[in-house]
Amino acid sequence: MKIYLVGGAVRDSLLNLPIKDRDWVVVGGTKEILLKKKFQQVGKDFPVFLHPETHEEYALARKERKSGKGYTGFYTEFNSDVTLEEDLIRRDLTINAIAKDEYGNYIDPFQGKKDLELRLLRHVSDSFIEDPLRVLRTARFAASLAHLGFYIDKKTMILMSKMVKKNELLYLTKNRIWNETEKAFKTSNPHVYFQVLYSCKALYSVFPEIYFLYERKRFSSPLFQNLYNSCFLSMGLSKIRILTKDISIQFSYLCQFLPQKIEFSSTKKNYDEYAATFVKRLCNRFDVPLNIRELAVLNAGFYVFLNSIHYQSSKNIVDMFSKIDAWRKPDRIYKLSFLSDFNLFHHNQNKIFNFKLKTGFLKKCFFIVKDVSVKKILNQGFKGYNIRNELNKLRVKKLELWRMKKKYFFLKK
């Protein structure tokens, strides 16, 4: 029985990147041998075992044969006769099909090390097309390694396009799609993920709402072409990723452009119900985590309001705080303030360093009014709904006073 380090740990060590997890493949072993060595079996489709001390994953070498549709339609064969090369050939990309033995020797039958040097993302074999999830995974790897200059091999892109054309991506579950997308947002260049999906025609199948942002012909007015084209969106996603690793903020930034119906009248109201509902449906379709979903919906609904926050009345601002339940969930204010400031400087000045020199106006407003005490109101005998109304009046009054002082000092200077 021989054990080899495989996958991401080998790839990342060769690229001098931090190693997150280490996976192992067992050649010439059996389920009985590993259980006897106190390994704990996990996994239903094929035997994967956890090391009794390190809890790292050890999988028996296996072969796979396509037997159905989607990424689950496989017949898996695992026994002591399966060779290391037979196990490696079933993997997606050559850079993920390198093994390392206990003596530090590399086993690289598909030229993965060479592709690392060439900065090339290339499929191992034609069996690549058997798993539609590999379209998303390849796009995610492109995003993850874009800062090192990696690009996708032309033949691999052709195979990805063929998979899309055969409607293989329709068999992917919503959880699988979101998991890969969430991982893409954790990379240094999440915009590359969507660019790759668009290039291989997969974006329409997976995210039709986002696809239309990349289709300039959809908008006849030059104004909207400039606002919604892929170059603008890509710049925004790449810049916001530099400033924050919070996925809920990044995803909300993307979603604020999604509503396809342009409501010019929305500037006359504080909350765009259509935009909020549009984003909510997208999030529900993929079971997006609640904390990410809530922020994306609020940011889409209040998008126009937030981008004109400096011109909004104190009453409207306080009303917004109540509508988003900021008193109990102040974290929402900090994130919406971040998005509001980012939009202001990215859209108008397009210079990231200016953003760092400013403190959020929305956040300041909330800081001014959040500590208005309700005790004084109760002592005055207010009851029921009158308590809330009077509390909001005091908040508006305090905020208005602060804004007037701020304006006075500004004019004085």
Side-chain angles (χ1 to χ4, degrees):
M1 184 175 76
K2 293 184 178 181
I3 298 176
Y4 300 89
L5 181 65
V6 294
V10 179
R11 177 197 67 233
D12 291 343
S13 66
L14 289 169
L15 290 172
N16 294 317
L17 295 175
I19 297 175
K20 299 177 182 178
D21 300 300
R22 298 200 304 173
D23 295 318
W24 306 83
V25 64
V26 181
V27 177
T30 64
K31 170 182 173 181
E32 291 71 24
I33 293 175
L34 292 179
L35 290 177
K36 197 171 183 179
K37 290 180 177 292
K38 306 300 182 182
F39 280 73
Q40 180 184 355
Q41 182 176 351
V42 295
K44 299 177 181 179
D45 298 328
F46 47 82
V48 176
F49 302 83
L50 299 181
H51 191 280
E53 296 178 2
T54 66
H55 301 291
E56 293 175 340
E57 290 190 359
Y58 286 67
L60 293 179
R62 62 187 185 270
K63 296 189 292 185
E64 291 178 340
R65 186 174 70 251
K66 186 76 169 178
S67 60
K69 293 288 186 179
Y71 67 94
T72 58
F74 289 92
Y75 169 75
T76 305
E77 178 185 347
F78 47 87
N79 56 58
S80 58
D81 295 327
V82 178
T83 66
L84 176 61
E85 185 170 334
E86 287 175 325
D87 181 272
L88 294 177
I89 198 172
R90 69 177 178 78
R91 298 175 184 268
D92 49 10
L93 302 173
T94 58
I95 64 171
N96 296 328
I98 309 170
K100 187 177 181 181
D101 66 17
E102 58 182 318
Y103 304 107
N105 300 313
Y106 292 100
I107 297 87
D108 182 21
F110 307 106
Q111 307 300 309
K113 290 178 66 178
K114 181 179 179 181
D115 286 343
L116 285 174
E117 295 175 2
L118 295 174
R119 298 301 195 246
L120 186 63
L121 298 174
R122 183 170 60 88
H123 61 284
V124 174
S125 69
D126 288 343
S127 62
F128 178 91
I129 64 173
E130 295 178 351
D131 185 355
L133 187 64
R134 288 175 175 174
V135 173
L136 301 185
R137 278 176 54 83
T138 303
R140 194 244 302 170
F141 277 117
S144 178
L145 299 173
H147 66 292
L148 296 178
F150 275 80
Y151 64 97
I152 301 174
D153 180 71
K154 290 182 179 179
K155 292 182 179 179
T156 302
M157 281 292 288
I158 291 173
L159 290 182
M160 292 165 65
S161 298
K162 286 183 178 179
M163 296 163 73
V164 175
K165 193 172 182 179
K166 291 181 178 180
N167 294 322
E168 282 287 328
L169 272 65
L170 298 180
Y171 295 95
L172 292 175
T173 65
K174 54 188 177 182
N175 290 333
R176 286 279 183 165
I177 294 173
W178 174 251
N179 286 341
E180 288 300 322
T181 304
E182 187 174 26
K183 290 177 182 178
F185 274 112
K186 294 178 181 179
T187 68
S188 300
N189 296 280
H191 62 286
V192 174
Y193 174 76
F194 297 103
Q195 286 177 335
V196 170
L197 293 182
Y198 177 75
S199 297
C200 69
K201 313 298 182 184
L203 193 58
Y204 183 79
S205 298
V206 182
F207 297 109
E209 301 90 346
I210 300 174
Y211 167 81
F212 288 119
L213 300 183
Y214 286 77
E215 285 292 285
R216 283 182 152 193
K217 295 179 181 179
R218 181 174 173 78
F219 302 97
S220 57
S221 167
L223 172 64
F224 293 118
Q225 287 181 15
N226 292 332
L227 181 61
Y228 288 92
N229 67 62
S230 60
C231 181
F232 184 87
L233 179 63
S234 295
M235 286 192 299
L237 282 176
S238 62
K239 286 185 177 181
I240 204 168
R241 179 61 179 82
I242 295 173
L243 294 167
T244 179
K245 293 182 179 179
D246 192 313
I247 295 177
S248 66
I249 293 178
Q250 296 177 55
F251 184 69
S252 296
Y253 175 77
L254 172 64
C255 286
Q256 71 189 18
F257 298 111
L258 296 187
Q260 301 169 37
K261 180 182 177 185
I262 307 300
E263 288 278 10
F264 290 98
S265 62
S266 64
T267 56
K268 300 179 182 179
K269 58 184 179 181
N270 294 338
Y271 189 77
D272 191 334
E273 191 67 45
Y274 175 84
T277 302
F278 189 92
V279 172
K280 187 182 296 183
R281 287 173 181 169
L282 169 66
C283 293
N284 289 341
R285 195 167 83 242
F286 292 105
D287 281 344
V288 175
L290 185 61
N291 65 312
I292 299 176
R293 181 187 320 178
E294 288 179 341
L295 184 68
V297 171
L298 288 174
N299 186 59
F302 283 106
Y303 175 72
V304 174
F305 180 86
L306 290 171
N307 285 297
S308 59
I309 190 66
H310 293 274
Y311 305 100
Q312 296 293 336
S313 68
S314 297
K315 182 181 183 306
N316 283 346
I317 293 175
V318 172
D319 286 345
M320 189 210 73
F321 291 158
S322 297
K323 287 178 182 177
I324 69 172
D325 198 15
W327 319 116
R328 292 191 306 164
K329 300 176 180 179
D331 189 55
R332 289 178 173 179
I333 289 295
Y334 305 133
K335 292 182 178 182
L336 290 174
S337 178
F338 182 102
L339 284 159
S340 176
D341 294 339
F342 181 82
N343 284 333
L344 174 65
F345 292 104
H346 175 55
H347 292 185
N348 297 332
Q349 299 181 28
N350 206 27
K351 294 182 180 178
I352 203 167
F353 60 86
N354 283 335
F355 174 80
K356 295 181 178 179
L357 298 176
K358 299 291 182 178
T359 304
F361 174 74
L362 185 68
K363 190 163 54 176
K364 284 184 178 180
C365 291
F366 182 69
F367 180 80
I368 294 297
V369 303
K370 70 182 181 69
D371 291 327
V372 173
S373 176
V374 72
K375 289 183 180 180
K376 185 178 179 180
I377 298 173
L378 293 174
N379 291 336
Q380 292 176 345
F382 287 96
K383 295 182 180 180
Y385 287 107
N386 291 328
I387 297 175
R388 185 181 64 183
N389 293 337
E390 189 64 23
L391 184 60
N392 280 339
K393 286 181 182 179
L394 292 178
R395 287 167 173 161
V396 171
K397 186 177 180 180
K398 188 175 181 179
L399 180 58
E400 191 63 28
L401 182 61
W402 173 75
R403 294 178 74 179
M404 289 178 64
K405 287 182 179 179
K406 183 179 179 183
K407 185 177 182 180
Y408 170 77
F409 285 120
F410 176 78
L411 293 174
K412 193 175 181 181
K413 287 183 178 180

